[in-house]
Amino acid sequence: MTTTPALSHVAVIGGGICGLTAAHRLARRGVRVTLIEGSAQLGGLGTFFRHGNRWVERFYHCVMPSDAALLQLLDELGLKDSVRWRKTTMGMLVDGERHRFNSALDLLRFTPLRFFDRLRFGVVSLLLRRLGRGRDLDTLRTEDWLRGLYGRRVWEDLFAPMFGSKFGPAFGDVPALYLWQRLGRERNVATRGYPDGGYKTIIDALRESIESAGGTIRLSSPVHRLCHTAEGCSLTFTDGESLAVDRVVSTVPLPLLRRLADNDLATRLPGTTLAYQGVVTAALFLRRPLTGHYWTPVLRSGTDFDGVVEMSALAGSYESAHLVYLMHYTDRESNLYREPDDAIAARWTAQLLRVHPGLRAADIEDVRVFKAPFVEPVYPRGYLAQRPPVVVDGTNVLLATTAHVYPDVTSWNSSVALANEVTDLIAGLERQKVGEPA
């Protein structure tokens, strides 16, 4: 790896996978790095909790074989061979009835759709990637595209509730390009991977890499104010301490960054405004598996949660328990998001027991509820032209957020790829600083 002269001090705000990767890359290039995380844990959406002798992610994750940037990072960290790959399947829970949803035969038996609509669904799905090539999907509404291809019933009975659960009221307006990219990454029957020891092993390896290369990691250090200065940048923490640096890489969502920026920096930040969906997730440890499907959307079945991920179908058992995630994407101002965790746990447990009659209350060992406010950006049509630049004009602040990964799917892989892009840019700026060709 090429070494850049350590002339700058770079602060990376945010200890999620993007911030960790950026700090890892910069530290390994010889740049002086301080990684700043406001909470007591690194990992962002990959933070974890202990269950018995095992660390468990608060929110579900998996590795896809097409995740080239993430797999390259794992290879650098000596973790690529620790990923265990399994073929996973998909179910559907519609109107309280369970269905397999993986093969042509499953589709023919999928009674929530009429027979003609099942045939049309199968043919169009096979051709969908090809049908999107060469089209301006960035400015095309997802509803207009899918309704035209699949027909009214498939859209209204299947896709509308599925996309509505992910993107909220604006689901029909999301650019078709985002869906097209997602379909390129995910399949009903798909090989997925999960690292031995969980995602904490990746976080720990990145932390060790950063610190062994001379980088500093600060936990429980919320930033109160970020200022652009003539010399670089200044950060003030909530305890009043200040830190002067040459550059800042901010990985926090733009709405949060605007709250931290002083007046001068705030006027320079991109005017891009994105709505974000947060998520409420319940992690349940069961004494028995549910269906064995990794992923099951839940439609019109009288539940608040609209998806079930049986993590043990991918990661194995958790000290003889089977881990299941229930989730609902929602605005951070919604009543559900504001509801106490114990109330959500009790209600969702009762709802799960109702839609899985073979499951008993005695089969549930433990339930934990977790919330995250900024998970899925709701991109507007034409976002390719609106996507903000990485460098904040006239400053030494660089941005690496989910607002920048479009049209790629928000994931650990796209976050790693973005961190690579931003740190390569910083390396070029550093070379220019000492008179070397960029």
Side-chain angles (χ1 to χ4, degrees):
M1 184 179 291
T2 304
T3 300
T4 302
L7 299 180
S8 290
H9 182 187
V10 178
V12 178
I13 304 176
I17 183 59
C18 190
L20 282 164
T21 303
H24 157 76
R25 294 253 177 268
L26 292 170
R28 289 291 158 182
R29 281 175 161 146
V31 176
R32 183 184 172 197
V33 176
T34 300
L35 176 64
I36 300 164
E37 168 57 41
S39 72
Q41 265 191 23
L42 295 172
L45 290 176
T47 52
F48 40 85
F49 65 98
R50 183 178 284 281
H51 175 76
N53 294 320
R54 185 165 177 175
W55 293 102
V56 181
E57 292 80 35
R58 294 177 179 174
F59 307 96
Y60 67 95
H61 299 279
C62 70
V63 184
M64 303 298 286
S66 57
D67 288 348
L70 177 57
L71 289 170
Q72 179 186 350
L73 175 65
L74 296 184
D75 197 21
E76 293 174 24
L77 298 172
L79 295 176
K80 187 175 182 180
D81 290 340
S82 77
V83 177
R84 298 291 174 254
W85 300 96
R86 293 188 181 184
K87 181 172 285 189
T88 59
T89 59
M90 176 179 175
M92 293 282 283
L93 182 59
V94 184
D95 299 318
E97 297 290 329
R98 292 193 295 275
H99 305 267
R100 295 179 58 84
F101 205 73
N102 301 290
S103 66
L105 184 58
D106 292 341
L107 180 58
L108 288 175
R109 293 171 173 168
F110 188 65
T111 53
L113 295 178
R114 297 183 309 176
F115 183 73
F116 173 77
D117 292 318
R118 292 175 232 166
L119 293 178
R120 185 173 179 175
F121 183 95
V123 172
V124 173
S125 296
L126 285 174
L127 299 174
L128 192 61
R129 288 287 292 171
R130 186 182 305 172
L131 292 170
R133 293 193 185 109
R135 297 201 59 180
D136 181 14
L137 298 180
D138 177 50
T139 60
L140 180 61
R141 296 176 70 239
T142 289
E143 179 176 357
D144 293 341
W145 191 43
L146 294 187
R147 186 188 283 268
L149 290 173
Y150 286 96
R152 178 181 64 83
R153 284 186 176 274
V154 172
W155 171 260
E156 293 180 357
D157 293 346
L158 195 63
F159 285 141
M162 289 178 67
F163 291 123
S165 69
K166 185 76 169 178
F167 296 107
F171 65 89
D173 294 324
V174 172
L177 179 59
Y178 189 71
L179 169 72
W180 191 76
Q181 289 288 107
R182 180 175 290 275
L183 292 175
R185 183 175 187 261
E186 301 175 3
R187 298 285 190 275
N188 291 7
V189 178
T191 297
R192 290 177 166 88
Y194 185 82
D196 281 345
Y199 275 65
K200 185 177 185 296
T201 61
I202 303 174
I203 296 166
D204 288 346
L206 284 166
R207 177 173 190 163
E208 181 180 354
S209 171
I210 294 164
E211 293 181 333
S212 65
T216 300
I217 294 177
R218 297 182 52 149
L219 297 177
S220 302
S221 298
V223 175
H224 172 67
R225 185 68 67 213
L226 173 61
C227 304
H228 162 66
T229 67
E231 295 77 24
C233 299
S234 173
L235 301 96
T236 304
F237 299 95
T238 53
D239 63 2
E241 179 190 356
S242 295
L243 176 67
V245 296
D246 299 289
R247 302 185 198 279
V248 165
V249 176
S250 174
T251 69
V252 300
L254 284 173
L256 288 183
L257 182 59
R258 289 192 181 95
R259 297 179 202 168
L260 304 180
D262 70 349
N263 290 336
D264 178 58
L265 178 59
T267 61
R268 298 171 184 263
L269 290 176
T272 307
T273 56
L274 281 178
Y276 284 81
Q277 285 284 81
V279 73
V280 177
T281 296
L284 293 87
F285 294 92
L286 311 180
R287 292 186 172 89
R288 45 150 293 185
L290 288 179
T291 65
H293 296 306
Y294 173 76
W295 166 234
T296 300
V298 180
L299 310 180
R300 303 187 300 275
S301 295
T303 65
D304 294 329
F305 56 87
D306 41 43
V308 179
V309 169
E310 296 185 48
M311 198 66 200
S312 290
L314 175 62
S317 62
Y318 291 70
E319 296 185 343
S320 77
H322 298 268
L323 175 60
V324 170
Y325 291 100
L326 311 177
M327 78 288 303
H328 182 88
Y329 289 85
T330 183
D331 184 88
R332 59 193 177 277
E333 300 298 329
S334 69
N335 290 334
L336 176 63
Y337 198 91
R338 294 169 175 267
E339 188 175 3
D341 293 353
D342 56 352
I344 295 172
R347 189 172 66 257
W348 285 18
T349 297
Q351 292 172 354
L352 184 68
L353 291 169
R354 189 171 65 249
V355 296
H356 286 275
L359 187 70
R360 301 170 303 164
D363 293 324
I364 300 175
E365 291 185 359
D366 192 15
V367 183
R368 306 282 189 94
V369 172
F370 303 101
K371 300 170 182 174
F374 298 97
V375 177
E376 194 73 45
V378 183
Y379 300 108
R381 284 178 294 139
Y383 188 68
L384 283 177
Q386 305 172 39
R387 188 174 53 192
V390 166
V391 178
V392 178
D393 189 41
T395 76
N396 284 340
V397 177
L398 295 91
L399 307 175
T401 76
T402 51
H404 295 79
V405 300
Y406 178 88
D408 287 340
V409 175
T410 49
S411 65
W412 273 41
N413 182 67
S414 58
S415 294
V416 170
L418 178 61
N420 293 345
E421 174 189 343
V422 171
T423 53
D424 284 346
L425 178 58
I426 291 176
L429 294 173
E430 289 296 296
R431 287 193 290 271
Q432 290 180 7
K433 202 172 178 182
V434 295
E436 294 181 10

